Amino acid sequence: MLRYSLKRLLGAVPTLLILMTLAFFMMRAAPGGPFDTEKTLPPEIQANLDKKYHLDESLVQQYGRYLWDLAHGDFGPSFQYKDYSVNELIATGFPVSLRLGLSAIAIALIIGVGLGTLAALRQNSATDYSVMTLAMTGISIPNFVLAPILILVFAVYLGWLPAGGWNGGAFKNTILPIIGLALPQIAYISRLMRGSMIEVLRSNPIRTARAKGLPERVVILRHALKPALLPVVSFLGPATAAVITGSVVIEQIFGIPGLGRYFVQGALNRDYTLVMGVVVFYGALIILFNFIVDLVYALLDPKVRYG
Amino acid sequence: MRSSFIMLLVAVLVYPIFASSRPDNLASEQVLHRGNGAEVQTLDPHKAEGVPSSNILRDLYEGLTIEAPDGTVIPGTAESWEISDDGKTYVFHIRKNAKWSNGDPVTAHDFVYGLRRSVDPATASKYSQILAPILNAEDVIAGKQPVENLGVRALDDYTLEIRLKASTPYLLGLLNHSSTYPVHKASVEKYGDQFSRPGKLVSNGAYVLKEWVIQSHIKLERNPNYWDNANTIIDTVYYYPIEDQSTELKRYRAGEIDRTEDVPSQQIKWIKKNLADELQVAPYLGSYYFGFNLTRPPFKDNPKLRRALSMAIDREIITKRITGLGEKPLYSWVPPGINGYEAARLDYADWPQKKRVEEARKLYKEAGYSRSNPLTVEIRYNTSENHKKIAIAIAAMWKQALGVKTRLVNEEWKVFLENRKQKQVTQVFRAGWIGDYNDPYNFMEILLSKHGLNDSGYVNPEYDELLHQASMESDPKKRFELMKKAETLVLRDHPVMPIYSYVSSHLIKPWVGNYVPNVLDHNYSKDLYILKH
């Protein structure tokens, strides 16, 4: 197990390096630079800026410089938010996204697994159809439609919850964003869960358990749930990584100071260091969560063992 | 020193009118919540650019001059000044009671330090160009002269002299721009790039920085050391970065913000119906226009074709049916709203659209095109719903009037800017310009043959010469006349097609007092107050 873990983690280094290199050169290949605005700068000022941010060096030199800084844990200064470093932006944004994301994933997991199981047990009944209709609706209504409706109803008309803002992370301010983040995940998870649960319920071990006369509750909870969860778990890895790094839509609409909007803003502003920072960070998280998923697999499925 | 006397007189007469309007039904809590567009890029006044930073910096810092609520330039940290007869030397008298938020006195040396820092190549300010009128500024920015040679010096602790390259009548208006603000030398030297953080930032304006949570809010609190603190009513100001205008509208409706930075144009009908009393629309010093690429066919050496296309655009329809906030059709290059300047007008400005179309058809034919041999052209714009609608409307007008075949190309902002600058693929492109200061030169200089924003590639030595003369002219009236003459050339040659002049639009809660719309859209929080509600 330990050897396997070490191997996996070491294997992540070249993956990250490739990801970083691709992102670095793709970002530089995009037309326009971080300091381009409508107002064209006189060449002297452009030169001053380029010098300050080392943009006057060759691409290879810049790449080397970036690698060197990264190896020391330094993502560099943000080109856009001049008073902050990328490390600081990630350090302030990530805890916010993490808190919202983990809450949303936890809620989605509980509700999604529950609903999916319920639908599977009552396959082709009215319950099944209504759960699946709800799930389909959840998947097909995009966040940028759902979130404003939530705000209109709960903040503008009813006045129960704030329409946006973070307010230092007050509980009230997190409710709507968490719902906005969780709903699509609930939809996915319940569909996945229903499908795999139906399959598992038809499998030989379950038939055997039922034939032995075990109560239905025990059959479901003790014998069917674990194998049925496998597809959900593999979905959860990348989904968690995505949700805890923030959603640009939810953050924009609710005014949440998370990490998500830096992906889009960084790219639009050609804030090279910020884009690199979030891409590398996100990449590392995905690798980490996929690794965790594989470990959880071993716990759930006796057929999977790592030597 | 005649002009300086008038300035002082105006300042003294105007100022008390605004200062003395303190009402008695004030709310007990004086907290203002302002929407502020995008997240600010920096609170370092010499590196700042863009409206969101400027809004906050106006509350934090104070220049030699400031603006009254209606936008009139009034004394700020300088209580008075004298201007030499040739208009090239200004002597400012700093208020003896002006203090930094930590209690240190604000002196002429602070301004010298600030202005030098602003043009210092090491600061790498993007806005330092705006200081070009100051003697030797351009050379210092270019690194050809040391910063000490900048034409700014402290005659004593409270007297500052600024020498200019040429008479610059708009200088006083320039001196409330953030690139001219003083900064607190000791804290800049101590904290370096981090001096603009809460707890470290020492400012000389009506407010101090209390909190800055990126993408969440910036909180300012009253600066008790501010020289005019007695007249500041609002104690606390929150600025919220809200880029999405519909989100801002919802937060406004939920009562979380008192003043929106913008209004979503898609919902303007609903707003006009339901929030009409709270909608504040005012002319804004900006031109929305489409440019021609004059360096390549079909528009190279083809003024008739350019004129025909400009004439065929019905600007009234665009401002009434598409933008709809109260924008005005623009028939000049310089937008209205500049004190004392009457812009030149397109000769067909007052023609009915029918006559314009007839004339356009004639010119189109003379340029060698016809229904059977139509012009095929590309309109390029940066991705945005409104730009798209306007481009579609223009294409339709051209098609109907002349039979022009138009292809629309939209591009992401930075790609668009790059293409515009290179002048290789552009034919007709969208553009807009908002004035940094209240003077026509702000707009006129864009079309100078060597100017960085001249994306049309307009080269007219006569135009350049007229503007050069204007910048050397010390008589304001003659200066405006020269500029008007230059503007006439632009309107004759059609390197650009002016479409409309901008408006600023905000939703403002009825309990926000003393809000006066102005053409630069500058509202200092210190001038506002909250009524009981």
Side-chain angles (χ1 to χ4, degrees), chain B residues 427-446:
Chain B
Q427 294 189 324
V428 177
F429 57 86
R430 184 210 82 88
W433 190 245
I434 307 281
D436 286 315
Y437 48 91
N438 195 316
D439 191 87
Y441 193 73
N442 221 252
F443 292 86
M444 307 294 288
E445 65 170 346
I446 293 172

Side-chain angles (χ1 to χ4, degrees), chain A residues 31-42 44-45 48-49 52 80-85 88-89 92 148 151-152 155-157 161-168 252-258 261-262 265 267-270, chain B residues 39-44 47 49 121-129 141-142 144 193-194 196-198 212-216 241 243-244 247 250-251 253-254 256 412-415 417-418 420-421 430-433 436 452-453:
Chain A
F35 306 119
D36 289 355
T37 53
E38 263 185 313
K39 207 174 188 124
T40 310
L41 298 170
E44 296 89 5
I45 296 181
N48 291 343
L49 277 164
K52 186 164 177 176
Q80 173 81 359
Y81 305 108
K82 297 185 180 61
D83 301 354
Y84 292 88
S85 69
E88 283 176 300
L89 291 176
T92 50
I151 298 180
L152 263 186
V156 178
Y157 296 143
L161 295 168
W166 182 236
N167 194 16
Q252 287 276 19
I253 295 180
F254 290 102
I256 303 287
R261 60 172 94 186
Y262 292 140
Q265 279 176 354
L268 290 181
N269 294 326
R270 307 288 189 275
Chain B
E39 171 68 40
V40 300
Q41 296 181 7
T42 170
L43 287 180
D44 179 338
K47 292 181 187 165
E49 52 175 329
T123 310
S125 157
K126 281 164 85 177
Y127 249 96
S128 49
Q129 271 171 294
I141 293 168
K144 290 180 195 150
D193 278 349
Q194 300 206 342
S196 52
R197 304 280 182 101
W212 180 359
V213 182
I214 280 224
Q215 309 284 13
S216 170
E243 268 177 275
D244 184 74
T247 303
K250 286 190 204 79
R251 292 186 70 178
R253 288 174 66 194
E256 291 165 23
E412 184 248 1
W413 180 236
K414 296 248 176 183
V415 179
L417 283 184
E418 178 123 333
R420 235 170 68 177
K421 256 163 224 174
R430 184 210 82 88
W433 190 245
D436 286 315
L453 204 72

Side-chain angles (χ1 to χ4, degrees), chain B residues 23-31 233 235 511 529-533:
Chain B
D24 15 292
N25 54 338
L26 288 176
S28 56
E29 257 197 13
Q30 290 293 322
V31 183
I233 302 176
D235 295 315
W511 53 78
Y529 48 77
I530 307 289
L531 294 165
K532 268 192 191 128
H533 58 275

Side-chain angles (χ1 to χ4, degrees), chain A residues 157-175:
Chain A
Y157 296 143
L158 298 172
W160 292 349
L161 295 168
W166 182 236
N167 194 16
F171 177 66
K172 262 192 156 181
N173 290 61
T174 62
I175 297 175

Side-chain angles (χ1 to χ4, degrees), chain A residues 64-284:
Chain A
R65 180 184 291 279
Y66 189 78
L67 266 186
W68 178 254
D69 289 343
L70 193 62
H72 293 79
D74 180 7
F75 285 120
S78 164
F79 288 60
Q80 173 81 359
Y81 305 108
K82 297 185 180 61
D83 301 354
Y84 292 88
S85 69
V86 173
N87 289 47
E88 283 176 300
L89 291 176
I90 293 179
T92 50
F94 183 56
V96 172
S97 297
L98 181 71
R99 187 175 143 197
L100 291 183
L102 282 185
S103 316
I105 280 288
I107 292 172
L109 190 62
I110 295 168
I111 300 182
V113 167
L115 284 180
T117 310
L118 196 71
L121 292 176
R122 311 253 154 88
Q123 202 190 342
N124 298 333
S125 71
T127 322
D128 182 19
Y129 290 139
S130 42
V131 168
M132 282 309 106
T133 310
L134 265 177
M136 272 321 286
T137 324
I139 291 172
S140 41
I141 295 184
N143 257 336
F144 58 83
V145 175
L146 181 74
I149 294 176
L150 287 175
I151 298 180
L152 263 186
V153 173
F154 292 100
V156 178
Y157 296 143
L158 298 172
W160 292 349
L161 295 168
W166 182 236
N167 194 16
F171 177 66
K172 262 192 156 181
N173 290 61
T174 62
I175 297 175
L176 289 182
I178 289 177
I179 295 177
L181 280 174
L183 280 179
Q185 308 298 337
I186 293 178
Y188 277 112
I189 293 177
S190 57
R191 275 187 66 83
L192 270 175
M193 191 64 201
R194 174 181 178 272
S196 72
M197 185 57 102
I198 287 176
E199 209 170 296
V200 169
L201 286 178
R202 288 184 189 146
S203 67
N204 288 336
I206 299 300
R207 257 188 238 151
T208 315
R210 281 190 172 142
K212 284 203 290 191
L214 287 177
E216 189 67 9
R217 200 170 51 88
V218 178
V219 172
I220 304 297
L221 290 182
R222 190 164 302 162
H223 298 282
L225 195 59
K226 253 166 96 176
L229 270 175
L230 284 176
V232 175
V233 169
S234 31
F235 166 79
L236 271 185
T240 311
V243 172
I244 63 172
T245 41
S247 140
V248 63
V249 177
I250 292 290
E251 286 176 14
Q252 287 276 19
I253 295 180
F254 290 102
I256 303 287
L259 206 55
R261 60 172 94 186
Y262 292 140
F263 287 89
V264 177
Q265 279 176 354
L268 290 181
N269 294 326
R270 307 288 189 275
D271 192 340
Y272 297 145
T273 43
L274 182 58
V275 169
M276 293 302 296
V278 289
V279 164
V280 170
F281 186 72
Y282 184 44

